[in-house]
């Protein structure tokens, strides 16, 4: 496995049958969590390579660059595929992997109106939230999130991702529904509401590569089922705090309860406690 810096996205060497260049996006979360999830993504590719008989060059790219990198031949495959889920004319995708991506809400940098949204969902009431018609994979979980938490928001539909990003930057909408691996530098993370499976994307004319990925993933599930289960569980453990939210009634109940006193071993650095 070779992990190349962002500048390496300009490489032009010919890819052989035994070496594949995969563009990977680092999630837009806290640095520590983003690094952990990025490491998990690359580790999963390493494990897949044992069954695909490939060597991988993992090329870290910004989400806005990954589609062009595929189209211009700078990379052969990309993970995750959510960026291209609606563009079936140019792209195809593998079957879902055990890896997952976070679905979240994003605001403009410096907009502090929703700072407390992770502890009080009521601050989202009345917000104008941009949604992209090309992202039905995000809309379903978002609608369920609003219904479950009795949120009253206004959704503003846009035909494409670029239009929705531009609307957030211009202030036409207050928040944007996005995924952690497709948000750009013009967005600031507010809260996560759910997760969804990742897949690997490629050009339609390279569908043979995706077929090999599918076969390798099937073999991984059969021969190393604990690896896939562990990848899923590690993701859930690392992100559970981000997707745990309380309704106003639940928050009122929590605040009314007496403090819970817990004794932790001072000499054990691995013990942590989240209030949730």
């Amino acid at each position: 496995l070779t992990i190349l810096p962002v500048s390496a996205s300009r490489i032009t060497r010919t890819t052989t049958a035994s070496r594949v260049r995969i563009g990977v996006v680092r999630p837009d979360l806290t640095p520590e969590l983003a690094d952990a999830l990025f490491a998990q993504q690359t580790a999963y590719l390493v494990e897949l390579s044992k069954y695909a008989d490939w060597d991988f060059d993992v090329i870290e790219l910004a989400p806005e660059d990954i589609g062009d990198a595929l189209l211009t031949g700078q990379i052969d495959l990309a993970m995750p595929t959510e960026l291209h889920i609606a563009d079936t004319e140019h792209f195809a995708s593998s079957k879902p992997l055990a890896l997952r991506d976070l679905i979240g809400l994003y605001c403009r940098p410096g907009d502090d109106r929703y700072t407390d949204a992770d502890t009080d969902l009521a601050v989202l009431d009345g917000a104008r939230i941009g949604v992209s018609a090309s992202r039905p994979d995000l809309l379903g979980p978002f609608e369920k999130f609003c219904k479950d938490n009795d949120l009253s928001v206004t959704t503003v539909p846009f035909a494409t991702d670029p239009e929705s990003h531009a609307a957030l930057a211009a202030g036409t909408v207050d928040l944007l529904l996005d995924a952690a691996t497709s948000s750009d530098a013009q967005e600031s993370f507010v809260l996560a509401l759910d997760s969804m499976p990742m897949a690997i994307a490629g050009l339609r004319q390279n569908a043979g590569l995706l077929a090999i990925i599918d076969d390798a993933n099937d073999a991984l599930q059969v021969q190393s089922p604990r690896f896939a289960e562990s990848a899923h569980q590690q993701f859930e453990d690392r992100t559970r705090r981000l997707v745990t939210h309380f309704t106003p009634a639940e928050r009122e109940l929590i605040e009314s309860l007496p403090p819970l006193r817990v004794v932790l071993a001072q000499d054990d650095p691995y013990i942590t406690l989240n209030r949730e």
Side-chain angles (χ1 to χ4, degrees), residues 110-187:
D111 185 350
D112 60 1
R113 289 177 294 168
Y114 306 102
T115 302
D116 297 328
D118 60 334
T119 58
D120 184 7
L121 293 178
V123 302
L124 297 175
D125 278 332
R128 300 166 300 168
I129 300 180
V131 298
S132 174
S134 64
R135 301 303 305 271
D137 53 326
L138 304 181
L139 191 55
F142 172 65
E143 290 176 340
K144 182 178 185 301
F145 174 76
C146 291
K147 181 179 179 181
D148 290 346
N149 293 285
D150 196 26
L151 289 177
S152 177
V153 299
T154 300
T155 56
V156 184
F158 296 93
T160 65
D161 274 350
E163 290 179 16
S164 63
H165 288 282
L168 181 66
T172 306
V173 296
D174 304 309
L175 298 166
L176 184 64
L177 180 66
D178 210 342
T181 53
S182 61
S183 59
D184 60 30
Q186 302 305 311
E187 302 173 27

Side-chain angles (χ1 to χ4, degrees), residues 25-28 41 63 80 82-83 101-102 106 179-183 198:
V25 176
R26 189 182 298 266
D28 180 23
Q41 292 170 7
E82 296 105 19
L83 299 172
D101 195 3
L102 281 175
Y106 290 79
T181 53
S182 61
S183 59
M198 282 189 183

Side-chain angles (χ1 to χ4, degrees), residues 120-122 125 149-151 246-254:
D120 184 7
L121 293 178
D125 278 332
N149 293 285
D150 196 26
L151 289 177
F246 302 112
T247 64
E250 290 169 333
R251 173 62 59 188
E252 183 177 349
L253 173 62
I254 290 171

Side-chain angles (χ1 to χ4, degrees), residues 20-68:
V20 175
R21 301 160 298 171
I22 300 187
V24 180
V25 176
R26 189 182 298 266
D28 180 23
L29 298 165
T30 62
E32 181 181 359
L33 181 56
D35 289 346
L37 295 181
F38 184 79
Q40 184 185 51
Q41 292 170 7
T42 55
Y44 198 91
L45 291 175
V46 170
E47 196 68 17
L48 278 182
S49 71
K50 299 175 182 179
Y51 302 93
D53 197 25
W54 282 344
D55 285 325
F56 290 96
D57 286 339
V58 175
I59 302 173
E60 184 178 352
L61 292 172
E64 61 268 23
D65 296 333
I66 207 162
D68 287 341

